[in-house]
Amino acid sequence: MKMELPENLSHDYCINPSCSCQDARRTFVRVEDEPRRNPGKTFSGPTVFYNYVRDLMQLDDSCADSEEAIAHDLLEALQSAQPDLDAVVARRHCQLRYLFRRARGIREQMAAPRPVGQPKVGRNDPCPCGSGKKFKKCCGAASSQS
């Protein structure tokens, strides 16, 4: 059974392939209780950095100290609702790093200069050696004989 992460939870991950961090930044989003008054209105709730391997939580510096208990309770509720949450988050983190690596490789390939080859000399074109003769009567004759 495929488990999805809830929509009222914003996830941010480090996608640097050379970084070994195992943290996911989670921002709990509060949805307006009365959508008729303010349709689509959301409020950013507490933000935590959560290490999904060591099960450690650190509150973001921008959060008030009073939000720590709320963030901890929300994280526990999320984990109890989705027991394999750490595995889901680890899998998503791995997928995002892979996609970033792949996209970066494609971008580098597209940015790389393409090798410019010599234009093909036609039989009736002047010979590139500079003799003034047609290619077929000069250097082209030598290559056609062998």
Side-chain angles (χ1 to χ4, degrees):
M1 180 171 147
K2 185 177 179 184
M3 298 297 287
E4 288 296 321
L5 298 172
E7 292 178 15
N8 60 345
L9 185 63
S10 171
H11 297 267
D12 296 315
Y13 301 90
C14 172
I15 57 172
N16 183 354
S18 61
C19 182
S20 63
C21 73
Q22 298 165 331
D23 294 335
R25 185 177 135 206
R26 297 180 176 169
T27 302
F28 294 93
V29 180
R30 289 181 235 158
V31 180
E32 177 65 41
D33 290 337
E34 297 180 32
R36 292 183 189 149
R37 278 191 184 167
N38 297 318
K41 183 78 172 171
T42 58
F43 302 96
S44 179
T47 299
V48 296
F49 290 96
Y50 178 70
N51 186 304
Y52 52 84
V53 173
R54 289 189 230 117
D55 196 28
L56 296 173
M57 181 188 82
Q58 178 183 356
L59 200 63
D60 189 4
D61 293 337
S62 64
C63 292
D65 291 335
S66 60
E67 292 183 314
E68 184 171 4
I70 295 169
H72 190 269
D73 291 344
L74 288 170
L75 199 54
E76 278 187 2
L78 187 61
Q79 287 173 324
S80 66
Q82 190 169 354
D84 65 340
L85 180 67
D86 293 341
V88 171
V89 172
R91 207 169 28 253
R92 179 175 280 182
H93 197 182
C94 183
Q95 289 170 341
L96 288 171
R97 281 191 173 153
Y98 167 76
L99 290 172
F100 178 75
R101 239 188 332 267
R102 186 171 157 205
R104 189 170 65 178
I106 291 170
R107 192 178 85 205
E108 288 172 359
Q109 285 177 353
M110 293 179 75
R114 298 186 183 261
V116 179
Q118 295 282 341
K120 186 174 178 182
V121 179
R123 288 178 37 83
N124 290 320
D125 290 340
C127 189
C129 73
S131 67
K133 297 180 183 178
K134 286 186 177 182
F135 179 69
K136 67 181 177 184
K137 299 277 186 183
C138 188
C139 298
S143 64
S144 66
Q145 291 176 359
S146 45

